[in-house]
Amino acid sequence: MSAKPPHILLAPMEGVVDPVIRELYSDLGGYDEMVTEFVRVTDKLNPDHIFQKYSPELLKGGKTKAGTPVALQLLGGQPQPLAENADAAIRLGAPAIDLNFGCPAKTVNRHDGGATLLKKPERLFDIISAVKRAADGRVPVCAKVRLGFEDKSLHKDIARAVNDAGAARLVIHARTKVEGYKPPAHWEYMAWMAEECSIPVYGNGDIWSVEDYQKCVEVSGLRNVALGRGAMARPNLALQIKALDAGKDLPHLGFEPLFKIWIRRFAADSFNHAGEKYALNRTKQWTKLLGRNYDQSVALFESIKRFRSYQDMSAVIHQDAPN
Ligand SMILES: Cc1cc2nc3c(=O)[nH]c(=O)nc-3n(C[C@H](O)[C@H](O)[C@H](O)COP(=O)(O)O)c2cc1C
């Protein structure tokens, strides 16, 4: 057992970790902080409603209802506009700014954002420095990176740039841009990058289970982590990791409560958040992701995947749980 429990972030995932999932996972517990999907920054200041769309939590003090702080993530390549957008988000109540230097999407990279910036670590330094100046100590400025773009040769320079610019936290997704999401995640590089840093460093990538977490800690030496797909596929993973750290064993969340409480709530909240199509798509997406760990969710996904009406889907998710 360690003195302080690990700090666990719900990793940002565009099109997946939306305000509905953040509220739900905040109620499920185990996550110390969450991050919005990225807000794109070009050369203009985004209007307030854009920040509030990505982070409705801004209207509630920058936290979920259960009190989990939600950092606002920005993605862009120009220091000044990023600084101005960060300032606006902070004024609106963002409790932290997170800068995305990991997005592999071609359109994003073509527009000088995300992982393409990893090719020149000095650009990370300039961006973080400018955003820090704008934040002026009001809130932490954090960064999320990969190991590099084409290859890993700059991994230490990337870590140093983030550290030296004074970021409050470095989250490392342990792959290059070119590696995309292909396993394995190269956790050993996180250890080498952390050696370059005096700021808190968080591990990320392919932590699907408590066993993966243990291996990741062994290899990287990092206890603090960000969980993305693993969190979506195993909703009580953060709680299980915290239990493990406290010397306890927390079983997997059973399908019955998952289905009867959380999936039903998720579908209804998604409907209220953005309407029928959204609720259908999101519920199909989550039940598919849960299928990695729950056979019953594979069956559930199969039975709802062709539905075009929320009413039809709702009828199925209000029956008994599939076996
Ligand atoms: C569908 C999807 C969307 C993502 N969107 C974002 C994003 O908006 N911002 C970001 O920094 N990372 C994003 N990521 C990367 C994740 O935060 C995380 O680094 C990656 O999935 C590896 O962690 P995992 O294996 O725990 O999922 C995304 C990943 C996925 C799969």
Side-chain angles (χ1 to χ4, degrees):
M1 186 161 51
S2 350
K4 216 167 122 197
H7 205 251
I8 304 186
L9 309 179
L10 183 60
M13 288 202 281
E14 193 214 0
V16 182
V17 177
D18 63 354
V20 176
I21 275 288
R22 292 196 297 268
E23 284 296 343
L24 197 143
Y25 271 65
S26 180
D27 287 347
L28 266 160
Y31 292 92
D32 297 289
E33 197 178 322
M34 302 183 174
V35 185
T36 65
E37 297 160 87
F38 65 79
V39 175
R40 194 81 153 261
V41 174
T42 52
D43 53 353
K44 291 189 194 63
L45 183 60
N46 280 295
D48 291 358
H49 71 87
I50 292 289
F51 294 113
Q52 286 157 349
K53 178 179 149 218
Y54 281 87
S55 180
E57 293 93 344
L58 288 175
L59 302 168
K60 297 173 287 187
K63 294 179 176 172
T64 63
K65 288 195 192 92
T68 314
V70 180
L72 192 126
Q73 189 177 67
L74 299 176
L75 178 148
Q78 301 178 51
Q80 203 44 38
L82 281 164
E84 283 161 19
N85 278 272
D87 177 59
I90 295 165
R91 283 171 198 269
L92 290 170
I97 297 294
D98 192 70
L99 296 166
N100 178 325
F101 300 117
C103 183
K106 279 205 178 76
T107 37
V108 164
N109 288 184
R110 237 192 343 260
H111 289 95
D112 199 32
T116 195
L117 296 160
L118 300 170
K119 293 174 190 166
K120 294 212 157 66
E122 62 276 15
R123 296 194 62 198
L124 269 52
F125 179 90
D126 291 345
I127 289 171
I128 297 165
S129 304
V131 174
K132 262 210 78 170
R133 274 194 299 277
D136 196 22
R138 287 173 293 171
V139 303
V141 175
C142 309
K144 183 155 175 287
V145 304
R146 286 178 176 250
L147 304 180
F149 192 85
E150 301 270 359
D151 61 41
K152 305 178 185 64
S153 57
L154 294 177
H155 67 281
K156 288 193 174 177
D157 305 79
I158 290 167
R160 274 198 297 271
V162 173
N163 183 73
D164 296 353
R169 165 176 83 215
L170 169 62
V171 175
I172 305 170
H173 175 193
R175 294 184 179 89
T176 62
K177 179 286 179 190
V178 169
E179 287 166 346
Y181 295 96
K182 220 172 54 214
H186 305 278
W187 294 330
E188 66 281 14
Y189 278 83
M190 304 195 299
W192 301 329
M193 289 169 81
E195 277 171 17
E196 304 296 316
C197 294
S198 54
I199 61 172
V201 179
Y202 288 59
N204 171 242
D206 280 2
I207 300 173
W208 296 94
S209 63
V210 283
E211 291 77 21
D212 288 340
Y213 174 77
Q214 280 174 304
K215 266 185 247 152
C216 179
V217 173
E218 240 173 74
V219 173
S220 70
L222 303 177
R223 294 173 62 239
N224 297 335
V225 289
L227 305 175
R229 293 163 302 165
M232 295 306 301
R234 173 77 71 207
N236 69 341
L237 181 56
L239 288 172
Q240 289 185 307
I241 290 172
K242 288 197 168 158
L244 170 87
D245 188 76
K248 297 184 195 131
D249 179 27
L250 181 70
H252 300 321
L253 176 65
F255 190 70
E256 192 78 13
L258 178 59
F259 178 75
K260 288 202 167 147
I261 301 169
W262 303 103
I263 292 177
R264 284 177 187 173
R265 171 179 153 185
F266 178 69
D269 290 356
S270 297
F271 185 88
N272 292 333
H273 180 66
E276 178 167 37
K277 201 164 166 226
Y278 192 82
L280 280 159
N281 289 342
R282 287 301 165 104
T283 310
K284 291 174 193 175
Q285 179 192 58
W286 194 30
T287 50
K288 183 136 203 273
L289 289 164
L290 289 166
R292 184 181 174 110
N293 290 314
Y294 297 92
D295 290 344
Q296 302 98 315
S297 201
V298 176
L300 178 59
F301 172 73
E302 284 303 317
S303 63
I304 65 171
K305 71 179 184 193
R306 283 190 233 294
F307 287 143
R308 295 278 168 269
S309 119
Y310 181 76
Q311 224 181 357
D312 290 347
M313 182 178 78
S314 198
V316 169
I317 63 178
H318 283 88
Q319 291 168 358
D320 288 340
N323 294 309

